[in-house]
Structure formats: structure tokens, C-alpha cells
């Protein structure tokens, strides 16, 4: 690894040459090249979440293998791991075709095809010197692509280019395709999936299947969702997903790499916080950190939600809206830092999603990096335990929970401010607004119970995690409390807060609204009594918190009461 306390950080930079020549901080992943060459498969597909180093690795492979500018490119790898390998002799040995769809984002297929044509035109323009060895017909075909003519058989453009390169250099071609599935996912979300699939089935199939000019193909993507349509009959492909134990160290940042980076930038004292925020991913049997978040933390020198604020959540949001009635229990468990037991595999397709939304939503979350394995994966078992990997994703989940079930309400910030300031009347008023403005949520069958209210309150108070350690269903004293907020800085004289929730079953036909609220007030008293009898306050006292706000909240539909005591 190149390291220097004064080096720049490659925030948003994914071109390998740019990183090396401009002395950006680099986690040395060049041994990936050796592993690629040792792998016997003709075509390799690496599926990883976005922002986990796929594009930088594809760029690295391009500069390593490309016969074009090979002497200049060789200098990029001096003193890096691959330079010590016997496979370094493979440097500069092949013509390379490298394309990326990572920025594809189009509303319809007409615009999508224009974007694809633009990408291919630029690739052809890199190799305009190939016409030196072409006949007139080939020159005309080549320049038709560069001009973007409608007469071009665009599906065959990559296999044709591989033929031109082979005939020019006398060497077989390495084909690199970054984020192969982005146009597929985008088309699915926006409603033109069939047209995109029809194109890409031929486009990928021609260049990767039975291509006599192909030395090796390497593809990256987030999901393997399109396998049944795009790669039909492509028997020479090997998929390396986050469930596999091979290649795991090359996508993401390892523990020892993070420790060294923190030391290089004088931030080693932050290791525990960095672990809590950005670690937790289990790829195969290897623990990895999110590299995008690590680089941004080193640059900003503060903990924050960096990865989840980047683009790419459209498919997740689509299915959350479709399934919000069915996955509430699991969603609530994840917010509570609990594990869920779900079916996970590598063969998820869009067809699977359409047939069984509820089962495959968790597969989608997992492969997209929003959930991770809670224990090492047993490939002989269909089901496994999943969890939220770290603090960064937990905060995203809490925000997503509110958006999915309650929309974008401006009342949430007012509610959390009222809670941290101990203003119970204001808290009650803002909670009342939230419940009244979201009538539809109470029509969801089976959701009308304590866990729903627990999820609601947890989702709301997770907004306070900068100031409090927020925990749910934790052990304290003689039992388990519902919600607890422990001030992170006790010197600022903030109260510790314990909240006990009750969901009340009432025959509303027989009781007046006044009687319903009497029952709710009684349940609030029971909740406060439970806090005292179970000695939940002990966990705050042991942490040196002198002032504690105890809150009991009882719900019935949109009706509720709140009672509190200070100690």
C-alpha cells in the first residue's frame, strides 16, 4: 500500500492511472490481477454493492493488460504487489475493450439506447487507428459506429471491435464491463425492462459467448438478477458473489488496511468509532469495511453517513413501497439490531422478485449491501441470519422506515426536539399530528399492535443518535426496557430517558372516547410502574446519569396518552 501522511484522498476518483500518478492514497488491490489470471474461467462476474471498489478494479485491469501504451502503463504498477508476482510478465499483453454503465440513468428506452450508443462511439474513437489495417468495407462499418448511424448493428458492436483488435494486434482481447446490470435495473424500475433485456441479451451474448477473439471477460455489477435472460446458454461464466470466499479481500477495505490508514492520517484514536460506523460486512468469511465511507471519513475527519447518501436506491425503494404491509415485523427487528432468518442465494432474478416479493426483498437488500450475514454462510442451507451491518446503515434504515410508513413529515424533527428538551406537552402535540396525518397506516392488516408503535417510536428517536446512545429491547435491572436514550456527553446535563410503550385492546364500540382515554391513562401508569419495579433506571445510574425522565405511552389506533415522571 502506498502511504504518506500528506497524500491526497481519492474522493470520487475511480481511474487507476489518476490515483497512482497523482499520488492519491491507495489501498493496494493489485494482487487481484494475479488471482484473476489463476482463475480458469473464461468470463468472470463479480457482484458487489455499489461503491465497493468495482470501478477502480476494472480500471486497474485495463491499465495492466492493455497492449496500448504498455510501457507507460507498466510504471503505474512499480512497487505495488503485482510487480512482485510471476504474473507481472502478463502486463501489456492484450488489447482491451473497457466500458462502464455505472452512470446510466434514463427514463425510457429511446434515451437509453442513445446513451449506450454514446458509450460505444467513445470506445470506438479510442481505436480509430485500427482503420490503418482495414479494407474499405470494414472502414465504413467502423466509422458508422463512430458517427452513430441507425444502420449499425449495435448489439454486435463489441464483438466486431474485438475482431478488429485481434486482426490489428494478432492477440486475443480482454473485455471489461463495469456495472453491467445498471441499465437492466434502471429499465426495470422505469418500466422498459423488456426492451432493455432484448438488447443486452444479444449485446453481452455475442461478445462473451463463443467469441473466438476473446481471451478473457471480466464483468462487475450489483446483482445477478438478470441471469436467466442475459446469460442464457453462457456456460463459460463464473460468478463470484459476496457469498463466495474467493476474491473477498479485493472489494472493500480490510481491518489492517483501515488501521494503517487511520494511523497515516493521525486518526488512530477513532478506530472503535470507525468500526461501529463502517465495519460489519461479511463477504464470504472475511470482514470488510465500506471503502467509500472510509475514504470520506479520512477526508472529512468526522463520522457521517457517506455511502447511503449516494445514488442507487431506486430498486430498493420500489420494493419497499410494494411490500411495506408484509415486512413490518422484519423491518422493526432490524431497527432493534436483531437478526432476521431469511432465504439467501446467488440466483435471484427479476422473475423471482415478481413471483415472491416478500421472500426476495431480503435477497435484494443483502446483495445491495444494506444487510449482511450475521454468521458465516453455510451453502448447504437455504436460510441464514441477516443483520444491519453498521451504524451508517442503521441510520439509513430508520430514515427509510419513516419515509415508507409515514412519508416525509416535518413534524418528526419537532417531536425529537421536544423529547430531548423534556417538553412532554410539545411531544404529545407533535406525536398527535404524526398519527393524524398518516391515517392509512392504521388500515394495514395485522400491523395494529405494540410492535408497530415500537417501530414508529424507534424510527423517530433514532434521529437523536448524534446526542444519545439509543437502544431498544435491552436488558436492565430485572427485565427488558422498550426504549432507552443515554446522553453521550453527561457533562452537558442532559436527562437520560426511558420509554415504556403499551398497545391497548379496547372494544371501541362499547366505550366513549372519554372512557378510552381513561383506559389509556391507566396503561401509562402501569408502564411507569413497570419502569420502577423492573429497575430499568439502573443502567443510566451506572453510567453516571443523575437525572432521568421516565415516560409511559399507551396507544389505541390513533388515540394515545402520555404520562411521565422525573427522578
Amino acid at each position: 500500500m502506498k502511504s504518506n501522511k500528506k497524500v491526497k484522498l481519492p474522493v470520487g476518483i475511480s481511474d487507476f492511472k489518476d490515483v497512482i500518478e497523482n499520488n492519491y492514497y491507495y489501498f493496494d488491490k493489485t494482487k487481484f490481477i494475479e488471482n484473476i489470471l489463476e482463475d480458469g474461467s473464461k468470463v468472470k462476474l463479480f457482484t458487489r454493492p455499489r461503491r465497493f471498489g468495482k470501478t477502480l478494479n476494472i480500471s486497474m485491469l485495463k491499465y495492466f493488460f492493455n497492449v496500448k501504451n504498455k510501457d507507460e502503463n507498466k510504471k503505474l504498477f512499480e512497487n505495488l504487489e503485482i510487480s512482485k508476482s510471476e504474473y507481472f510478465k502478463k502486463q501489456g499483453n492484450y488489447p482491451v475493450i473497457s466500458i462502464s454503465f455505472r452512470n446510466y440513468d434514463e427514463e425510457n428506452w429511446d434515451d437509453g439506447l442513445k446513451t449506450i450508443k454514446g458509450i460505444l462511439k467513445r470506445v470506438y474513437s479510442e481505436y480509430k487507428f485500427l482503420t490503418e489495417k482495414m479494407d474499405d468495407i470494414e472502414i465504413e462499418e467502423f466509422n458508422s459506429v463512430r458517427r452513430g448511424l441507425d444502420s449499425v448493428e449495435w448489439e454486435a458492436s463489441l464483438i466486431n471491435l474485438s475482431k478488429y483488435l485481434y486482426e490489428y494486434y494478432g492477440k486475443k482481447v480482454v473485455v471489461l464491463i463495469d456495472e453491467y446490470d445498471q441499465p437492466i435495473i434502471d429499465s426495470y424500475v422505469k418500466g422498459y425492462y423488456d426492451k432493455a433485456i432484448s438488447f443486452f441479451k444479444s449485446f453481452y451474448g455475442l461478445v462473451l459467448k463463443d467469441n473466438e477473439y476473446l481471451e478473457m471477460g471480466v464483468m462487475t455489477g450489483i446483482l445477478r438478477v438478470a441471469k436467466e435472460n442475459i446469460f442464457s446458454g453462457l456456460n463459460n461464466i463464473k460468478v463470484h458473489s459476496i457469498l463466495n470466499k474467493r476474491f473477498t479481500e479485493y472489494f472493500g477495505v480490510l481491518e489492517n488496511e483501515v488501521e494503517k490508514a487511520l494511523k497515516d492520517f493521525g486518526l488512530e484514536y477513532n478506530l472503535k468509532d470507525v468500526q461501529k460506523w463502517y465495519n460489519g460486512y461479511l463477504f464470504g468469511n472475511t470482514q470488510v469495511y465500506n471503502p467509500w465511507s472510509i475514504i470520506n471519513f479520512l477526508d472529512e475527519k468526522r463520522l457521517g453517513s457517506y455511502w447511503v447518501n449516494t445514488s442507487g436506491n431506486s430498486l430498493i425503494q420500489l420494493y419497499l413501497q410494494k411490500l411495506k404491509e408484509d415486512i413490518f415485523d422484519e423491518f422493526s427487528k432490524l431497527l432493534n439490531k436483531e437478526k432476521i432468518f431469511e432465504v439467501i442465494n446467488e440466483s435471484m432474478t427479476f422473475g423471482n422478485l415478481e413471483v415472491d416479493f416478500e421472500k426476495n426483498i431480503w435477497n435484494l437488500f443483502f446483495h445491495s449491501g444494506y444487510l449482511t450475514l450475521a454468521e458465516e454462510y453455510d451453502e448447504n442451507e437455504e436460510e441464514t441470519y441477516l443483520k444491519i451491518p453498521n451504524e451508517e446503515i442503521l441510520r439509513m434504515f430508520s430514515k427509510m422506515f419513516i419515509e415508507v410508513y409515514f412519508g416525509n413529515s416535518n413534524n418528526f424533527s419537532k417531536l425529537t426536539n421536544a423529547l430531548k428538551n423534556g417538553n412532554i406537552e410539545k411531544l404529545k402535540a407533535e406525536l398527535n399530528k404524526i398519527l393524524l396525518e398518516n391515517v392509512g397506516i392504521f388500515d394495514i392488516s395485522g400491523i395494529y399492535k405494540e410492535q408497530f408503535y415500537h417501530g414508529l417510536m424507534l424510527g423517530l428517536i433514532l434521529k437523536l443518535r448524534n446526542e444519545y446512545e439509543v437502544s431498544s429491547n435491552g436488558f436492565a435491572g430485572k427485565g427488558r426496557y422498550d426504549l432507552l436514550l443515554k446522553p453521550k456527553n453527561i457533562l452537558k446535563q442532559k436527562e437520560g430517558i426511558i420509554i415504556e410503550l403499551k398497545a391497548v385492546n379496547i372494544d371501541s364500540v362499547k366505550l366513549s372516547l372519554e372512557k378510552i382515554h381513561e383506559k389509556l391513562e391507566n396503561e401509562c401508569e402501569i408502564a411507569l410502574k413497570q419502569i420502577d419495579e423492573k429497575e430499568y433506571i439502573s443502567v443510566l445510574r451506572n453510567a453516571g446519569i443523575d437525572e432521568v425522565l421516565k415516560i409511559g405511552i399507551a396507544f389505541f389506533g390513533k388515540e394515545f396518552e402520555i404520562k411521565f415522571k422525573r427522578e
Side-chain angles (χ1 to χ4, degrees):
M1 177 192 301
K2 287 190 174 184
S3 63
N4 186 318
K5 291 183 180 179
K6 296 182 180 179
V7 307
K8 297 174 290 184
L9 285 156
V11 177
I13 297 174
S14 54
D15 182 80
F16 180 78
K17 183 178 181 179
D18 193 1
V19 169
I20 300 302
E21 287 189 339
N22 291 292
N23 196 34
Y24 284 103
Y25 197 86
Y26 178 59
F27 297 102
D28 190 346
K29 303 295 181 180
T30 57
K31 198 172 176 63
F32 178 52
I33 299 166
E34 178 179 305
N35 281 250
I36 283 278
L37 290 168
E38 288 178 341
D39 182 82
S41 55
K42 188 86 167 180
V43 180
K44 311 166 210 321
L45 169 60
F46 296 92
T47 59
R48 294 293 187 278
R50 58 193 171 86
R51 308 287 187 177
F52 266 77
K54 299 189 298 293
T55 300
L56 183 58
N57 278 343
I58 285 288
S59 176
M60 175 184 70
L61 295 178
K62 173 186 174 182
Y63 287 109
F64 182 83
F65 286 118
N66 210 345
V67 66
K68 184 182 176 184
N69 301 324
K70 66 176 185 179
D71 293 332
E72 178 185 339
N73 291 339
K74 186 175 183 178
K75 298 174 184 177
L76 300 175
F77 297 91
E78 293 176 355
N79 302 317
L80 295 175
E81 282 295 315
I82 190 61
S83 66
K84 306 169 190 174
S85 169
E86 62 176 303
Y87 290 99
F88 196 49
K89 61 188 178 185
K90 294 282 189 178
Q91 187 273 327
N93 273 16
Y94 306 99
V96 173
I97 299 172
S98 181
I99 63 172
S100 177
F101 292 112
R102 69 186 182 121
N103 294 321
Y104 182 99
D105 181 13
E106 299 298 344
E107 294 300 319
N108 56 66
W109 179 240
D110 288 341
D111 290 340
L113 187 56
K114 286 179 185 177
T115 295
I116 294 165
K117 287 179 179 180
I119 292 170
L120 295 171
K121 285 163 61 178
R122 287 189 290 275
V123 172
Y124 266 64
S125 293
E126 290 179 27
Y127 291 108
K128 56 187 176 183
F129 61 86
L130 296 179
T131 56
E132 297 170 7
K133 294 186 179 182
M134 291 182 183
D135 60 30
D136 290 343
I137 295 176
E138 288 177 328
I139 291 173
E140 183 179 350
E141 290 175 345
F142 189 92
N143 287 332
S144 293
V145 174
R146 293 183 60 203
R147 294 189 182 101
L149 300 182
D150 292 337
S151 59
V152 172
E153 186 185 357
W154 291 98
E155 292 92 333
S157 55
L158 285 192
I159 191 172
N160 289 340
L161 183 56
S162 66
K163 173 179 176 289
Y164 300 146
L165 285 165
Y166 176 79
E167 290 175 345
Y168 186 92
Y169 286 106
K171 296 172 180 286
K172 289 189 176 183
V173 177
V174 172
V175 175
L176 307 173
I177 303 175
D178 183 39
E179 302 290 8
Y180 89 96
D181 57 346
Q182 176 54 32
I184 311 301
I185 295 171
D186 197 55
S187 70
Y188 184 78
V189 171
K190 295 171 181 174
Y192 57 96
Y193 174 75
D194 290 341
K195 291 181 179 179
I197 279 292
S198 178
F199 175 86
F200 281 105
K201 184 175 182 179
S202 296
F203 182 73
Y204 290 138
L206 286 170
V207 73
L208 298 175
K209 180 186 177 185
D210 301 327
N211 180 359
E212 60 182 302
Y213 312 109
L214 181 68
E215 175 67 26
M216 178 175 64
V218 180
M219 308 174 73
T220 71
I222 297 172
L223 306 170
R224 194 184 173 186
V225 290
K227 181 180 185 298
E228 81 283 18
N229 287 320
I230 287 184
F231 302 134
S232 177
L234 189 61
N235 298 321
N236 62 346
I237 189 169
K238 174 68 175 177
V239 179
H240 298 280
S241 77
I242 53 181
L243 291 172
N244 301 135
K245 296 180 180 179
R246 293 190 61 198
F247 297 102
T248 54
E249 65 268 40
Y250 304 118
F251 297 91
V253 186
L254 304 182
E255 181 80 25
N256 64 311
E257 293 175 321
V258 171
E259 289 183 12
K260 186 177 189 312
L262 293 176
K263 185 177 180 180
D264 288 341
F265 286 88
L267 297 167
E268 57 265 41
Y269 60 89
N270 286 108
L271 179 59
K272 287 186 178 180
D273 287 334
V274 170
Q275 288 171 332
K276 180 180 177 182
W277 267 78
Y278 307 121
N279 195 4
Y281 292 97
L282 186 62
F283 290 177
N285 58 353
T286 303
Q287 288 280 349
V288 299
Y289 288 75
N290 181 325
W292 177 265
S293 298
I294 292 297
I295 290 296
N296 277 275
F297 168 73
L298 293 173
D299 186 52
E300 296 286 342
K301 295 180 174 55
R302 64 175 181 83
L303 297 166
S305 297
Y306 300 110
W307 181 74
V308 298
N309 289 330
T310 59
S311 61
N313 298 324
S314 56
L315 188 60
I316 294 289
Q317 292 167 346
L318 174 69
Y319 277 100
L320 278 177
Q321 288 298 331
K322 286 186 177 183
L323 290 169
K324 66 180 183 180
E325 298 182 17
D326 304 301
I327 62 171
F328 182 86
D329 288 352
E330 289 89 349
F331 212 146
S332 296
K333 285 181 181 179
L334 291 168
L335 283 178
N336 292 336
K337 298 184 180 179
E338 297 176 26
K339 300 180 291 186
I340 59 174
F341 195 57
E342 302 294 339
V343 174
I344 293 297
N345 57 61
E346 295 179 337
S347 302
M348 182 183 66
T349 66
F350 281 120
N352 295 147
L353 282 170
E354 292 295 346
V355 170
D356 194 341
F357 289 128
E358 186 175 353
K359 182 171 71 173
N360 283 288
I361 184 70
W362 306 114
N363 223 346
L364 179 60
F365 266 110
F366 172 68
H367 287 287
S368 299
Y370 296 100
L371 296 177
T372 192
L373 297 171
E375 56 191 41
E376 194 169 330
Y377 178 68
D378 183 350
E379 60 185 17
N380 296 316
E381 299 290 337
E382 284 192 351
E383 294 176 303
T384 191
Y385 284 102
L386 302 176
K387 66 176 183 177
I388 293 176
N390 51 46
E391 181 74 16
E392 184 178 29
I393 304 300
L394 179 62
R395 294 196 177 207
M396 182 213 72
F397 261 74
S398 65
K399 180 180 178 182
M400 197 177 287
F401 178 89
I402 292 170
E403 290 176 351
V404 167
Y405 292 101
F406 291 91
N408 294 310
S409 173
N410 294 324
N411 296 324
F412 296 148
S413 294
K414 295 177 182 178
L415 183 145
T416 52
N417 284 332
L419 179 61
K420 73 178 182 180
N421 293 323
N423 188 337
I424 303 302
E425 286 303 313
K426 181 68 171 175
L427 173 68
K428 187 173 181 179
E430 297 303 331
L431 182 56
N432 186 55
K433 288 180 185 178
I434 291 170
L435 295 177
L436 286 175
E437 290 177 5
N438 293 277
V439 178
I441 196 68
F442 297 98
D443 297 329
I444 294 177
S445 175
I447 220 171
Y448 193 46
K449 52 190 176 183
E450 185 171 336
Q451 190 170 7
F452 165 71
Y453 298 109
H454 189 114
L456 166 63
M457 293 304 298
L458 178 59
L460 296 175
I461 67 175
L462 281 173
K463 294 171 70 71
L464 294 173
R465 292 184 73 88
N466 286 335
E467 301 169 67
Y468 295 87
E469 291 180 19
V470 179
S471 53
S472 170
N473 284 333
F475 287 99
K478 300 175 182 177
R480 296 183 69 168
Y481 53 79
D482 280 336
L483 300 168
L484 183 141
L485 291 83
K486 182 170 71 174
K488 289 185 176 180
N489 188 345
I490 62 175
L491 298 179
K492 290 189 176 181
Q493 302 299 314
K494 280 190 174 139
E495 295 176 310
I497 303 171
I498 296 176
I499 303 174
E500 191 65 26
L501 305 172
K502 300 292 181 183
V504 183
N505 292 318
I506 300 174
D507 187 346
S508 57
V509 176
K510 296 181 180 180
L511 294 178
S512 65
L513 188 60
E514 182 180 356
K515 290 293 184 181
I516 288 173
H517 278 270
E518 284 181 12
K519 283 189 171 289
L520 291 174
E521 289 179 354
N522 184 57
E523 287 294 322
C524 289
E525 294 291 350
I526 293 173
L528 291 174
K529 185 177 180 181
Q530 181 178 327
I531 292 173
D532 290 336
E533 290 181 347
K534 298 292 186 180
E535 299 179 12
Y536 296 152
I537 196 172
S538 62
V539 70
L540 293 172
R541 290 283 187 252
N542 292 338
I545 308 297
D546 294 327
E547 297 182 3
V548 177
L549 174 61
K550 297 179 284 188
I551 300 175
I553 310 179
F555 294 93
F556 171 68
K558 293 178 291 176
E559 306 298 330
F560 70 96
E561 286 292 343
I562 299 179
K563 287 189 175 292
F564 69 98
K565 290 195 299 185
R566 284 188 165 88
E567 184 174 320

